[in-house]
């Protein structure tokens, strides 16, 4: 029997990269999966590639109505939501000198406001269901140590850690666990957009000697989503090949 048999998982930004790898892992472990992404066609297509029952829905995580809508879609399709992964993300890298206020606000909106909206709706829905749950927030090792050109992203990703701990305290009595993951350099379209020299320099700084694969984050998300982590809440797991330990 799969680790997520009988559970329904909603994953934001699940149309590609880390989110899609999480969707695949969860599906292979028996979960019914909802992929929410601002790109509707990609979300629906990605859902169609999973091994189990799955559906895709358009949702921009910065829009409260869309966030409510993605939960309603999940409940219509599968009756409930047991696991939420707040994974949608963007980068708008530039040095502080060159970063525009718009680039700052876009990144803060998607990561901080998007995660907050997901947690708020997820907590209410899971509490009403009365059977506990697991919410997982995607932070980044950037939020731990900062990164040149990422004053927006590092601030948002550090903020997600504080948000995770606060909501974990509020949700614990309902046996709803809230945890975060801090990936290091993972091979996805997001990091493929990095300048070649920056990517190579980052790879050199990794004790395990290579970038991670999306499924190496998905395996940790599976741990946090399932009963394997039944006594973990408010924690942040670094999955970075030893970088910035
Ligand atoms: N790749 C890495 O090295 C790395 C490292 C640390 C943290 N992360 C984090 O992991 C998460 C996934 O990253 P990835 O590398 O898979 O990125 P990616 O760019 O490959 O995928 C991101 C997905 O999020 C979706 N998305 C973007 N904005 C959205 C919004 N407003 N609403 C809904 N969907 C939206 C995109 O359409 C896309 O499908 C992000 O939160 C990212 O910050 C990635």
């Amino acid at each position: 029997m799969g680790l997520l048999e009988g559970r329904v998982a909603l994953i934001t930004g699940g149309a590609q990269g880390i989110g899609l790898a999480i969707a695949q892992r969860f599906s292979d472990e028996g979960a019914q999966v909802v992929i929410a992404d601002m790109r509707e066609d990609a979300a629906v297509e990605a859902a169609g590639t999973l091994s189990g029952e799955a559906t895709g829905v358009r949702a921009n995580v910065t829009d409260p109505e869309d966030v409510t809508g993605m939960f309603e879609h999940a409940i219509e399709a599968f009756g409930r939501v047991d696991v939420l992964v707040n994974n949608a993300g963007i980068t708008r890298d530039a040095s502080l000198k060159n970063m525009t206020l718009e680039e700052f606000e876009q990144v803060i909106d998607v990561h901080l406001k998007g995660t907050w909206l997901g947690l708020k709706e997820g907590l209410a829905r899971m509490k009403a269901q009365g059977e506990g749950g697991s919410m997982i927030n995607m932070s980044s090792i950037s939020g731990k140590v900062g990164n040149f050109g990422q004053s927006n992203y590092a601030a948002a990703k550090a903020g997600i850690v504080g948000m995770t701990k606060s909501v974990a305290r509020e949700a614990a009595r309902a046996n709803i666990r809230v945890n975060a993951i801090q990936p290091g350099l993972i091979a996805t379209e997001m990091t493929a957009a990095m300048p070649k020299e920056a990517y190579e320099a980052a790879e050199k700084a990794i004790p395990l000697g290579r970038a991670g694969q999306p499924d190496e984050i998905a395996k940790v998300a599976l741990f946090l989503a399932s009963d394997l982590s039944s006594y973990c809440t408010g924690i942040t797991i670094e999955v970075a090949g030893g970088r910035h330990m």
Side-chain angles (χ1 to χ4, degrees), residues 16 18 37-39 59-61 87 153 157 184 186 188 191:
Q16 67 178 46
I18 292 171
D37 202 286
M38 62 189 302
R39 296 172 302 121
N60 181 340
V61 297
N87 165 80
Y153 184 83
K157 291 305 201 184
I186 308 300
T188 67
T191 48

Side-chain angles (χ1 to χ4, degrees), residues 177 227-233:
R177 301 179 296 102
D227 294 342
L228 291 178
S229 61
S230 55
Y231 203 49
C232 297
T233 197

Side-chain angles (χ1 to χ4, degrees), residues 2-227:
L3 285 168
L4 297 179
E5 213 72 54
R7 313 243 174 117
V8 180
L10 171 54
I11 301 151
T12 71
Q16 67 178 46
I18 292 171
L20 178 55
I22 292 172
Q24 283 163 344
R25 266 280 158 192
F26 285 12
S27 187
D28 292 349
E29 291 291 337
Q32 292 169 305
V33 172
V34 180
I35 291 183
D37 202 286
M38 62 189 302
R39 296 172 302 121
E40 184 172 18
D41 290 353
V44 172
E45 198 185 318
T49 67
L50 302 185
S51 57
E53 274 185 274
T55 172
V57 60
R58 193 202 72 82
N60 181 340
V61 297
T62 67
D63 181 337
E65 283 180 16
D66 280 12
V67 172
T68 300
M70 74 186 183
F71 275 90
E72 282 170 354
H73 178 94
I75 286 159
E76 206 168 285
F78 301 126
R80 51 189 295 112
V81 176
D82 304 285
V83 177
L84 170 69
V85 185
N86 287 308
N87 165 80
I90 59 167
T91 49
R92 295 287 183 271
D93 295 357
S95 65
L96 185 59
K97 181 169 166 264
N98 295 323
M99 188 180 291
T100 63
L101 181 59
E102 195 189 3
E103 287 166 335
F104 175 77
E105 288 178 340
Q106 281 174 341
V107 168
I108 295 295
D109 258 21
V110 175
H111 294 279
L112 271 187
K113 183 173 154 192
T115 300
W116 185 83
L117 286 170
L119 289 171
K120 190 170 170 64
E121 188 84 30
L123 182 59
R125 303 264 179 184
M126 288 179 193
K127 262 192 178 164
Q129 288 169 187
E131 292 177 38
S134 169
M135 300 199 280
I136 301 163
N137 300 325
M138 207 53 71
S139 175
S140 164
I141 208 78
S142 238
K144 179 185 176 188
V145 297
N147 200 11
F148 190 100
Q150 292 198 322
S151 56
N152 49 4
Y153 184 83
K157 291 305 201 184
I160 283 175
V161 173
M163 194 185 292
T164 298
K165 293 180 184 184
S166 300
V167 181
R169 289 180 188 275
E170 294 181 23
R173 282 190 177 205
N175 196 30
I176 298 162
R177 301 179 296 102
V178 190
N179 295 292
I181 300 175
Q182 287 190 322
L185 182 72
I186 308 300
T188 67
E189 279 189 30
M190 182 180 275
T191 48
M194 285 167 68
K196 193 165 173 278
E197 320 76 66
Y199 190 94
E200 284 173 2
E203 230 179 2
K204 271 202 189 114
I206 300 169
L208 285 181
R210 61 176 177 84
Q213 292 302 314
D215 187 52
E216 295 182 291
I217 303 302
K219 288 187 282 188
V220 177
L222 173 63
F223 167 71
L224 291 175
S226 73
D227 294 342

